[in-house]
Amino acid sequence: MTPDRRDVLKLAGVTATATVGTASTVTVTAQEEDDELPDYSRWLPAEDALLEFAFLDWAALEEFVTDELEEADPDEEVPPEYEADPMIAPVSEGALGTYFYVGLDLAQYRLGGLLDEAAFDSSVEGLLRTPEAFVALGAIDPGEIDARVTAEPEAEFIRQLERTGETGAYDVYTPVDADDAAIAVGEDALAVASETDDPIGTLEAFVGAAEGDGARATDESEAFEWVLSSAGDGDAVVGQSGPEAGDEGVVDFDYEELEDAESVVSSLTVEDAETSTGEFAAVIDDPDEAALEALLGASGEDRSVDVDDDRVTATATWREEAVTGTRE
């Protein structure tokens, strides 16, 4: 029986059961570039060093992946064909880590059920996670969030917050007994900073970027802007940019063929109940064209790879029926 991690969470809705699909002969062809940046990218501030992110279009994915994510075991092994494919494994890991952040890390603030529409009046449409901050995008009810995070703790692990200021149009809450976390709450987003030495400063950078008052990562790096516009408009997206790209964190693109990448983005999108497509883009100094053609989308079908100077793009398709009957 093939090991799966819920078939890599049935990533992007149906697939990654599909990701055991038969790889076809790769076709080298040009990709059509999308000049539009995804809306979530405005929340990514400029970084001095490595930038990493994972994004889930929860509104698009919820009906497809909720059951698999709820039953997922983060310690379960991923099949080697998935691990070897940078168009699948990093997206799977990013999706899983982002989902578990909501249920586990936000639980201490009474926000662990944020994705449960029956439990919250607030409605989440997108999830963005970086090593420094997490952002839930959607229709947020500030009064509801205020009531939850400021209530008296009823359990030892619950942390009580208090409103201590604001940044831009967002109210800022910090723990009543510490300064190691901060939450910004507005009508269109809820941002949390808890894994940084300067939570409030981190929130100010993220909110400033979102509101256009601070520097955005896409403003500072043409390479990152290009990979986002080329492959960042998916249902599940991960990306990395900076001189340390390849180190493991929120995203792991630790592949020999990508070690000289300046920026990388990989995404998956649901096409229908049995099919998902992937897009990949990277800016790589002196890319090995043959190696990349063998690597990118190798676990899928209908592969297409284009290497143009230092610009690399790829697409592939994964179909659930490709694995029908393969399990014992």
Side-chain angles (χ1 to χ4, degrees), residues 80-140:
E81 59 265 42
Y82 303 161
E83 287 284 13
D85 193 340
M87 293 183 69
I88 288 294
V91 187
S92 171
E93 297 294 340
L96 185 65
T98 300
Y99 177 81
F100 278 130
Y101 182 92
V102 178
L104 299 178
D105 293 68
L106 295 189
Q108 61 187 311
Y109 311 117
R110 295 188 183 83
L111 300 176
L114 191 60
L115 300 180
D116 184 352
E117 294 182 352
F120 277 77
D121 292 330
S122 298
S123 177
V124 175
E125 298 178 359
L127 306 173
L128 176 67
R129 185 177 175 227
T130 77
E132 295 80 25
F134 167 86
V135 184
L137 303 167
I140 306 300

Side-chain angles (χ1 to χ4, degrees), residues 182-262:
I183 296 179
V185 182
E187 294 183 351
D188 63 342
L190 179 155
V192 181
S194 61
E195 300 180 29
T196 172
D197 293 334
D198 183 10
I200 292 179
T202 296
L203 289 185
E204 290 174 346
F206 275 73
V207 171
E211 294 186 331
D213 297 325
R216 295 174 179 172
T218 52
D219 296 332
E220 299 296 312
S221 171
E222 185 274 334
F224 185 58
E225 179 183 21
W226 181 80
V227 295
L228 267 180
S229 66
S230 299
D233 191 22
D235 296 337
V237 189
V238 294
Q240 205 174 54
S241 184
E244 301 174 28
D247 289 353
E248 185 174 358
V250 170
V251 181
D252 182 7
F253 279 109
D254 190 14
Y255 297 84
E256 182 179 353
E257 296 86 348
L258 303 178
E259 63 182 2
D260 294 324
E262 179 180 348

Side-chain angles (χ1 to χ4, degrees), residues 14-15 18 272-276 318-321:
V14 289
T15 103
D272 57 44
E274 295 182 343
T275 308
S276 288
W318 290 267
R319 297 181 176 89
E320 186 171 7
E321 62 265 25

Side-chain angles (χ1 to χ4, degrees), residues 12-100:
V14 289
T15 103
T17 70
T19 55
V20 183
T22 303
S24 62
T25 302
V26 64
T27 300
V28 179
T29 182
Q31 304 286 327
E32 184 175 328
E33 181 175 333
D34 181 2
D35 294 329
E36 295 296 325
L37 286 170
D39 184 64
Y40 66 80
S41 67
R42 66 188 178 91
W43 280 89
L44 295 171
E47 298 282 356
D48 292 333
L50 176 66
L51 180 152
E52 295 182 324
F53 77 90
F55 172 75
L56 293 182
D57 185 340
W58 189 249
L61 292 176
E62 180 180 9
E63 66 176 294
F64 296 102
V65 302
T66 299
D67 291 343
E68 284 74 25
L69 288 168
E70 288 178 349
E71 299 176 16
D73 178 357
D75 296 323
E76 187 176 352
E77 291 185 4
V78 171
E81 59 265 42
Y82 303 161
E83 287 284 13
D85 193 340
M87 293 183 69
I88 288 294
V91 187
S92 171
E93 297 294 340
L96 185 65
T98 300
Y99 177 81
F100 278 130

